[in-house]
Amino acid sequence: MNYTYSSSFRRWLRCVAGGLLLVVAVVAPGRAQTIVSPGLHPASAPAPLDVADVGHRLYARIPAHDSLGLQRGRRMLLLVPVVGYSQQTSGVAEVALNMAFQQPAANVSTVVGAAEYTLNNQLIFTLASSIWRPNNAWEFVGDWRVMHYPQSTYGLGMFTSTTGGVVSMDYQYFRFYQSALRRVASGWYVGVGYQLDDHWGITSRNSRREVTSISRYSYGVSGRSISSGPVISVLHDNRGNAINPPGGYLLNVQYRPNLQALGSDTNYQTLLLEGRVYLHPSPNSPNLLALWSYNTFTLNGNPPFLDLPATGWDMYGNTGRGFIQGRFRGKNFVYAEAEYRFAITRNRLLGGVAFTNAQSVTELSVMHGRVVDGTFEKVVPAVGGGLRLSLNKSSRTNLAVDYAFGLDGSHGLALNLGEVF
């Protein structure tokens, strides 16, 4: 199905991200750092349960979870073996790690990792961390990856297909992102860091031969590509627990100049704008409406192909449920999602979600060897739902199993340890 829109709608679309970010910035500027939402667990409701509690009831030697464990300085560690399927990996065997701990008067710190091997011969090691120091004086944010990652790509822009013009790319990938942010006001942080994307052994093949350009874009399509540069961050975060926020909001702004002086192939600059809001439609219910806006822009220059903004290439790989990773790629990417989270059982052992998302990238053309940036011309939405199983009530960690349908005929399964956003 082809979804095209008038020029006035495209102008509106470009304002969506900024509008949501503005709401995030002004919705509650004076609130405390940690949110305690009304109705989080009404007194009349049964005590919350998780998988360990159920195991304890069935077999007394399995310890029940201590709901105050994080406040007492304990670390909550989950190692979960997973055998599953996703569009980008086919069958996958994975060991997922989720660790949570809390330092005095601080937000919940998280470390999320995975080791995966897939039937597409992909080997993936990831580790993402958000470490809060006592009193939230500092936050240290990391995103490290080592991957052998053969993957299909579909060209640039929104007018692409999964049946024609598909290019198979094979490459090795090392990512090192690390930042330190210092609190400068209540809930506000400013920081600096370094980000490196190194792809090597890149080969690109269509159905007939090896190619050196995709959608006539030649940067980083073969051989090796490096993007390297500092990052300057501004953050406002009062969610308290990023694994499964009970309320609050987040504003995240990152400016990254990639510099040849630091090893980057070319000089180019990018900007990330992200906003998240968590609302309780009823003060007497723990059910929650979560809103997410994620937007990345190329301010100037030409990033290597694999470093262009694309579906499913955010920090946790969660944008675009319903679409295969890398389905849409371009110099600029805008994304919005809304999800309603609700309890199925009163003890919150089992829950559910319903969600919808929409995404767009800018079109791009090459004229006389020169890359010409285009505009947003098409939006593709998706809808879906899922189940939540409480694995650890202390850290609020759920096993998330979702299925989504993209309205271009795409559909797929998504698994997460923790909420999608």
Side-chain angles (χ1 to χ4, degrees), residues 375-386:
T375 59
F376 294 101
E377 297 183 15
K378 178 181 175 182
V379 182
V380 176
V383 296

Side-chain angles (χ1 to χ4, degrees), residues 86-88 162 311-312 317-325 327-328 335 337 355-359 380-385 402-415 420:
S86 71
Q87 291 170 287
Q88 62 264 25
T162 58
T311 307
N318 287 331
T319 53
R321 280 180 288 180
F323 300 94
I324 191 169
Q325 188 181 50
R327 174 64 183 89
F328 301 109
Y335 180 81
E337 181 158 350
F355 58 87
T356 182
N357 62 56
Q359 61 185 305
V380 176
V383 296
D402 299 320
Y403 204 91
F405 295 87
L407 298 189
D408 69 339
S410 178
H411 55 89
L413 178 72
L415 300 174
V420 170

Side-chain angles (χ1 to χ4, degrees), residues 94-97 111-116 123-129 142-147 149 173 175 313 315-316:
E94 172 184 357
V95 176
L97 174 149
V111 178
V112 179
E116 306 174 46
L123 186 61
I124 306 164
F125 299 95
T126 62
L127 191 70
S129 58
D143 181 3
W144 308 344
R145 308 183 190 186
V146 179
M147 306 166 67
Y149 208 65
Y173 178 36
R175 170 184 283 192
W313 279 102
M315 181 172 177
Y316 294 101

Side-chain angles (χ1 to χ4, degrees), residues 54-126:
V54 174
H56 175 72
R57 291 185 177 185
L58 296 175
Y59 188 62
R61 291 187 179 182
I62 297 176
H65 279 160
D66 177 3
S67 61
L68 299 178
L70 287 179
Q71 290 88 334
R72 291 171 179 159
R74 291 177 54 191
R75 285 172 169 78
M76 300 297 178
L77 176 64
L78 287 173
L79 285 173
V80 181
V82 177
V83 177
Y85 176 88
S86 71
Q87 291 170 287
Q88 62 264 25
T89 64
S90 186
V92 57
E94 172 184 357
V95 176
L97 174 149
N98 186 298
M99 183 173 71
F101 60 94
Q102 190 169 24
Q103 302 201 40
N107 290 343
V108 175
S109 295
T110 61
V111 178
V112 179
E116 306 174 46
Y117 181 76
T118 81
L119 292 182
N120 288 343
N121 295 318
Q122 298 158 326
L123 186 61
I124 306 164
F125 299 95
T126 62

Side-chain angles (χ1 to χ4, degrees), residues 26-27 60 64 78 80 99 102 109 122 155 173 176 189 201 234 249 287 289 295 306 316 322 325 330 354 362 400 421:
V26 304
V27 65
L78 287 173
V80 181
M99 183 173 71
Q102 190 169 24
S109 295
Q122 298 158 326
Y173 178 36
F176 179 82
Y189 300 82
V234 177
Y249 61 98
N287 295 350
L289 175 64
N295 317 277
L306 291 168
Y316 294 101
Q325 188 181 50
T362 49
F421 67 95

